[in-house]
Amino acid sequence: MNYPNGKKATNPSAINRSKNVLNTYGNRGMTLENEIVETNKFYLETNIAVIHKKPTPIQVVQVDYPKRSAATIKEAYYRRPSTTDFNGLYKGRYVDFEAKETNNKTSLPFSNIHEHQVEHMRRVDQHGGICFFIIRFKPLNETFLLPIRPFIRAWDTEFDGKRKSLPYNFIKDNGFEIPFRLQAKVDYIKVIEKVYINGGD
Amino acid sequence: MNYPNGKKATNPSAINRSKNVLNTYGNRGMTLENEIVETNKFYLETNIAVIHKKPTPIQVVQVDYPKRSAATIKEAYYRRPSTTDFNGLYKGRYVDFEAKETNNKTSLPFSNIHEHQVEHMRRVDQHGGICFFIIRFKPLNETFLLPIRPFIRAWDTEFDGKRKSLPYNFIKDNGFEIPFRLQAKVDYIKVIEKVYINGGD
């Protein structure tokens, strides 16, 4: 297992990712999250969609206000997000999703999906938003868009029971593989267009 | 002018607000931002809309990872937000807005509206989102929803010129007063319903 290099990071999402890498993932190449951030930038610049990553929620405990310079946060902690990482709009529709990647080949562990996030996504779906997971199986180099509805069915029936992960075959059968493009490495708008816009809801 | 009490705050938005209070505002009663957060909670619990405040963006510089306990952020700074404070969905539509309050009676200063935010809001409007400012004149106890389009017209023609603020009369003429309800102190969904949903776009 590779450890991320350096404890000193210059942006919160990088640090958050580092923690995840330490906990669950290997450290090869660009993370799914960063590829999505780049893809969103491409969508924004080419006027395709307006989708942003939300800032990492941080609980601030102590702040210094030195004269004539910026307030310095001296003590703070990462909080567990109560919603998802990404939201925005495409063709007037509200879009909301969470990205997860795993080194596993056969399933996505439920362990790093928080119940609050699932409740949020359930609400988004009920209110007519476009809501899904982007899931990458790193050893297979395959990335899927999994709509929230099949996910919720699996979560509701299996989470309180025995199963603690979502099988690869379930994701493949109920999801849609996301194509790779050089400028849009995780070109999920292509799938949204096909599944939600052209294909009805 | 009243100073906010205490430099030690337990959540980032409270601190952010304190800074604003110090800079621009008096400190009487609940802030507009907090009233909107409470209103959103009511909308969520009564299943009316799903709208959240985004976390305050923070630039993390140094983090400690003590063994067996949570990562502690030791040095960090508030960043200027590149989007707006609030977004979410109502009846399937994407909703995006920024809240501003002033102690002024005759105009809202442009000084605390950032150009990046305006560019973001312009894009949201172009992509079919519902986008507006919520503006409170505290001495008048009046709160308005000002749609982004009249705002943009004023901003584009007057920002680079001489005017450095938006007159109260302009906001009153182009905006919609937001009614007060006990459970929804800033009941902006009422206005969205009237202006954007029933009234067309």
Side-chain angles (χ1 to χ4, degrees):
Chain A
M1 175 168 183
N2 295 316
Y3 287 88
N5 33 359
K7 295 268 161 125
K8 194 154 183 173
T10 50
N11 82 57
S13 76
I15 282 174
N16 228 17
R17 177 55 51 191
S18 298
K19 281 184 353 189
N20 285 344
V21 171
L22 269 168
N23 294 339
T24 325
Y25 307 123
N27 185 20
R28 95 165 69 137
M30 202 183 217
T31 63
L32 175 60
E33 186 174 294
N34 285 342
E35 286 190 13
I36 294 172
V37 166
E38 278 207 354
T39 299
N40 289 343
K41 208 175 150 201
F42 172 76
Y43 289 157
L44 201 64
E45 284 165 357
T46 53
N47 215 27
I48 290 171
V50 183
I51 294 167
H52 288 276
K53 185 179 180 304
K54 289 181 202 165
T56 305
I58 289 174
Q59 179 93 14
V60 175
V61 176
Q62 201 201 330
V63 189
D64 272 10
Y65 295 92
K67 276 183 187 165
R68 289 171 215 281
S69 61
T72 306
I73 297 163
K74 293 303 222 180
E75 186 187 353
Y77 299 90
Y78 292 106
R79 286 190 301 167
R80 180 167 293 186
S82 57
T83 64
T84 44
D85 273 351
F86 295 94
N87 76 359
L89 85 160
Y90 174 63
K91 295 191 174 174
R93 297 283 301 274
Y94 177 84
V95 174
D96 193 307
F97 63 95
E98 182 71 19
K100 297 289 177 198
E101 58 185 333
T102 179
N103 275 332
N104 216 312
K105 286 180 194 178
T106 56
S107 67
L108 175 78
F110 276 153
S111 54
N112 59 350
I113 298 173
H114 307 305
E115 199 157 349
H116 275 122
Q117 293 182 317
V118 177
E119 291 318 304
H120 168 72
M121 295 173 88
R122 197 193 296 268
R123 282 202 187 96
V124 167
D125 179 51
Q126 285 165 353
H127 284 263
I130 293 173
C131 192
F132 53 86
F133 281 91
I134 292 180
I135 298 165
R136 172 171 293 171
F137 289 92
K138 291 174 73 180
L140 308 174
N141 199 24
E142 292 179 23
T143 307
F144 296 95
L145 184 155
L146 178 67
I148 190 62
R149 289 181 192 179
F151 176 88
I152 290 278
R153 281 198 301 273
W155 176 271
D156 285 348
T157 53
E158 294 172 355
F159 184 66
D160 285 332
K162 46 267 116 168
R163 196 188 289 283
K164 293 282 179 279
S165 66
L166 211 54
Y168 168 81
N169 281 334
F170 179 88
I171 293 168
K172 195 176 170 71
D173 291 347
N174 292 278
F176 303 86
E177 194 164 356
I178 297 177
F180 174 90
R181 268 168 82 190
L182 206 56
Q183 313 99 315
K185 293 197 170 86
V186 188
D187 198 6
Y188 62 90
I189 287 286
K190 275 269 162 47
V191 179
I192 290 185
E193 183 67 29
K194 192 174 68 183
V195 176
Y196 294 93
I197 308 288
N198 287 333
D201 212 339
Chain B
M1 176 168 182
N2 295 316
Y3 287 89
N5 31 0
K7 294 270 160 121
K8 193 153 184 173
T10 52
N11 82 57
S13 76
I15 282 174
N16 228 17
R17 178 53 53 189
S18 300
K19 281 186 355 193
N20 286 343
V21 171
L22 269 168
N23 293 342
T24 325
Y25 307 123
N27 184 22
R28 97 165 67 138
M30 203 181 216
T31 63
L32 174 61
E33 185 174 294
N34 285 341
E35 286 190 14
I36 294 172
V37 167
E38 279 208 353
T39 300
N40 289 344
K41 210 176 150 201
F42 172 77
Y43 289 158
L44 200 64
E45 284 164 358
T46 54
N47 215 26
I48 290 171
V50 183
I51 293 168
H52 288 275
K53 185 180 179 304
K54 289 182 204 165
T56 305
I58 288 173
Q59 179 94 11
V60 175
V61 176
Q62 200 201 331
V63 190
D64 271 10
Y65 295 92
K67 276 184 187 164
R68 289 171 216 281
S69 62
T72 307
I73 297 163
K74 293 304 222 182
E75 186 187 353
Y77 299 91
Y78 292 105
R79 285 189 301 167
R80 179 166 294 187
S82 57
T83 64
T84 45
D85 273 351
F86 296 93
N87 76 357
L89 87 159
Y90 174 62
K91 295 190 174 175
R93 296 283 300 273
Y94 177 84
V95 174
D96 193 307
F97 63 95
E98 182 71 20
K100 297 291 175 197
E101 58 186 335
T102 179
N103 275 332
N104 215 313
K105 287 180 194 176
T106 56
S107 67
L108 174 78
F110 277 152
S111 54
N112 58 349
I113 298 172
H114 307 306
E115 199 157 349
H116 275 122
Q117 293 182 316
V118 177
E119 291 318 305
H120 169 72
M121 295 173 87
R122 197 193 296 267
R123 281 200 187 97
V124 167
D125 179 52
Q126 285 165 352
H127 284 263
I130 293 173
C131 192
F132 52 86
F133 281 91
I134 293 181
I135 298 165
R136 173 171 291 172
F137 289 92
K138 291 174 75 179
L140 309 173
N141 199 24
E142 292 178 24
T143 307
F144 296 95
L145 184 155
L146 178 67
I148 190 62
R149 288 181 194 180
F151 176 88
I152 291 278
R153 281 198 301 273
W155 176 271
D156 284 349
T157 53
E158 293 172 357
F159 185 66
D160 284 332
K162 48 267 114 168
R163 197 188 288 284
K164 293 284 178 279
S165 66
L166 211 53
Y168 167 81
N169 282 333
F170 179 89
I171 294 168
K172 197 176 170 69
D173 292 347
N174 292 279
F176 303 86
E177 194 163 357
I178 298 177
F180 174 91
R181 269 168 83 191
L182 208 56
Q183 312 99 313
K185 293 196 170 88
V186 188
D187 198 5
Y188 62 90
I189 288 285
K190 276 269 163 44
V191 179
I192 290 184
E193 183 66 30
K194 192 175 67 183
V195 176
Y196 294 93
I197 309 288
N198 287 332
D201 212 341

